[in-house]
Structure formats: C-alpha cells, structure tokens
Amino acid sequence: MGSSCLKDSDAASRRYGKDYQGEIDLQILSKVQAQYPGVHINNEVVEPSAEQIAKYKELVAKTSNLKNIKFSWHKETSSEYQNRMMEKKELQEWDFIHMIQMLYYVKDIPATLKFFHSLLATNAKILIILVSGTSGWEKLWKKYGSRLPRDDLCQYVTSSDLTQMLDKLGIKYECYDLLSTMDISDCFIDGSENGDLLWDFLTETCNFNSTAPPDLKAEIMKDLQEPEFSVKKEGKVLFNNSLSFIVVEA
C-alpha cells in the first residue's frame, strides 16, 4: 500500500508550522494501520523545507508501531517532484495522497490536480484540505486581494475555486465543510505583538500593521468585525476560519 503527502513551499510550513512536522501524517498513517493491520505501507513525503523534514524524522524516530511503514523523504516541492517523475517516466501508483493546506502555493493548480489524480490506483483517494468558500478568507481575499502586496508565493484559492477546477477536469469528488473560528481580537488592540502577527497572517503581508496605507487598514479593520467575516462572542472577535475537506476519487 502506498501513501504520499505533499507540500509545496517553505511558506506552507511557516503558515501552518506545527502541523508540518509530521503529526498529522502519523495520525493518518495510524488510521490506515488500524484499517489494514499488518499491511506494509510505503510513505513518500514531499517537503521543500529541510528543517521540517528533520523534525518529521525526529518524530518518526520516537514513535512506536511504525515497523511496517517505509518512509522516503524528498526535499522538493510537489511541482519539482512532478517534473522529476515525468522526466524519469517512473509514475508510481498510490492508494492515498494528501494535500493539506498546500495548494495555495502551487502555481498551476489544475495541472497539479490532473497529474496526481493520474497516479491514483483503483479505488484510491486524494484528500485535500484548504479554507472553505464560505469562510471569511473567501470574502477577505476577493474584496482586498488586488490591493494587498504579493510576491506571487501565495494564491488566494478556496474550496469554491477548487471544486470549479475539479468540475472542469471531470474529476469526481465529495466536499465536506468543518466549521471553525479564529480569535482575532488582538488585531484591534494597539501595540499588541500578537495582533501584528495576526494582521500579517490574514493579509499574507509582512509588517502589514505598520506599513499598510491607513485607509486600507481602516477598511479591513471595519470589515473584519462585520457578521459576514466574524462573530462577536463574549467580548471576542471570532473570524470565520471554516475549512473544506475534499475527497477526490480515482
């Protein structure tokens, strides 16, 4: 049985840091082991950050019950992995591929989806997790994306965009939403270091709070407190951080 996990930039590791050290991967593998006890599993990890690979290896070294799992680490992006496989013409089939919070960092998402879908064995699946089209992210990016400075590292893509791509490719899938909120109250406290980091996170802009045009910051600050973006509860501002889980079929 083969499984593969993909990440596509160092930025992905920074954006969701603690989740990119192997914890989620090992949780998934434990579920697979429970479903198929004793079956040998080949697990390929595609990760561009040497630091994240090292942390993942450390976690594997101190985790029990992994004897039937063979780990292979590739320090490269999913795009580099794809190019290497195409050049070698060694296209291995996989039973399960997961892309957790990484498609924001892929330049050609439809091509990536088409390629990895072609690697699925019979009855295999791809699990994709990214922000929901019903989340505050969708509204924030669509309204302000053109006014925020970008270095082309991150794409503003949500499940709404992704399902449209999958429909055009004729790929079957199921989509499930997980309701989630993120406390952004510190964004509205002057001098809050955590608030500054939240601003950077929300806008994908380094030092946004200190460098953004005052009118832009004022507009976003007002919108973030509106019901379409957040809810106010017990004195806190909770941003709609809902995620979508998209299960792609072979």
Side-chain angles (χ1 to χ4, degrees):
M1 175 175 291
S3 70
S4 180
C5 62
L6 307 174
K7 306 173 182 71
D8 213 62
S9 81
D10 290 343
S13 299
R14 293 195 299 272
R15 183 177 171 91
Y16 302 95
K18 66 180 181 180
D19 293 335
Y20 278 79
Q21 299 171 17
E23 291 94 338
I24 292 179
D25 305 71
L26 294 188
Q27 289 180 34
I28 291 174
L29 288 169
S30 70
K31 296 295 184 181
V32 174
Q33 284 182 309
Q35 185 70 24
Y36 303 98
V39 172
H40 182 78
I41 300 171
N42 290 318
N43 184 58
E44 288 209 5
V45 180
V46 179
E47 163 62 64
S49 169
E51 180 182 1
Q52 297 300 318
I53 289 177
K55 290 179 178 179
Y56 192 167
K57 289 182 177 180
E58 289 176 7
L59 185 61
V60 168
K62 60 185 180 183
T63 302
S64 58
N65 302 320
L66 298 178
K67 292 182 178 179
N68 66 325
I69 302 176
K70 177 185 177 182
F71 291 89
S72 300
W73 284 274
H74 303 280
K75 184 182 176 301
E76 57 191 352
T77 66
S78 66
S79 303
E80 291 168 344
Y81 175 86
Q82 176 179 338
N83 291 336
R84 181 166 60 84
M85 292 297 102
M86 294 295 288
E87 288 176 3
K88 287 186 175 182
K89 298 181 180 180
E90 295 178 1
L91 301 182
Q92 181 175 351
E93 287 191 339
W94 297 97
D95 298 296
F96 179 72
I97 298 172
H98 75 69
M99 304 177 177
I100 298 177
Q101 299 283 32
M102 58 75 72
L103 285 175
Y104 315 109
Y105 309 100
V106 173
K107 290 186 177 181
D108 190 340
I109 297 176
T112 297
L113 293 172
K114 185 177 181 180
F115 172 74
F116 286 101
H117 183 259
S118 73
L119 303 185
L120 292 180
T122 303
N123 298 321
K125 310 287 184 185
I126 297 176
L127 171 64
I128 300 170
I129 301 178
L130 76 171
V131 294
S132 171
T134 63
S135 70
W137 294 106
E138 167 93 353
K139 300 172 180 64
L140 182 68
W141 289 341
K142 282 194 172 181
K143 186 169 184 178
Y144 295 104
S146 62
R147 298 171 63 187
L148 295 172
R150 293 173 58 194
D151 57 7
D152 293 328
L153 183 62
C154 178
Q155 293 200 59
Y156 297 138
V157 59
T158 71
S159 62
S160 295
D161 304 303
L162 195 66
T163 53
Q164 290 180 27
M165 295 177 194
L166 291 169
D167 287 338
K168 287 183 179 180
L169 291 169
I171 296 175
K172 295 182 179 180
Y173 63 89
E174 294 182 0
C175 185
Y176 309 89
D177 268 13
L178 174 66
L179 300 181
S180 172
T181 59
M182 178 174 65
D183 186 354
I184 61 170
S185 306
D186 287 347
C187 286
F188 311 100
I189 300 175
D190 288 337
S192 169
E193 181 179 351
N194 188 54
D196 288 346
L197 294 174
L198 282 168
W199 275 112
D200 290 358
F201 180 72
L202 287 165
T203 62
E204 291 284 351
T205 305
C206 187
N207 299 319
F208 176 85
N209 202 14
S210 60
T211 62
D215 60 333
L216 175 61
K217 180 184 173 184
E219 286 183 55
I220 298 178
M221 182 177 287
K222 181 179 182 299
D223 272 346
L224 286 177
Q225 299 178 75
E226 296 297 325
E228 61 180 318
F229 289 88
S230 306
V231 296
K232 294 183 178 180
K233 185 176 182 181
E234 299 176 353
K236 296 181 179 181
V237 180
L238 305 177
F239 182 72
N240 184 339
N241 189 49
S242 295
L243 299 173
S244 287
F245 292 66
I246 300 174
V247 181
V248 175
E249 302 178 12

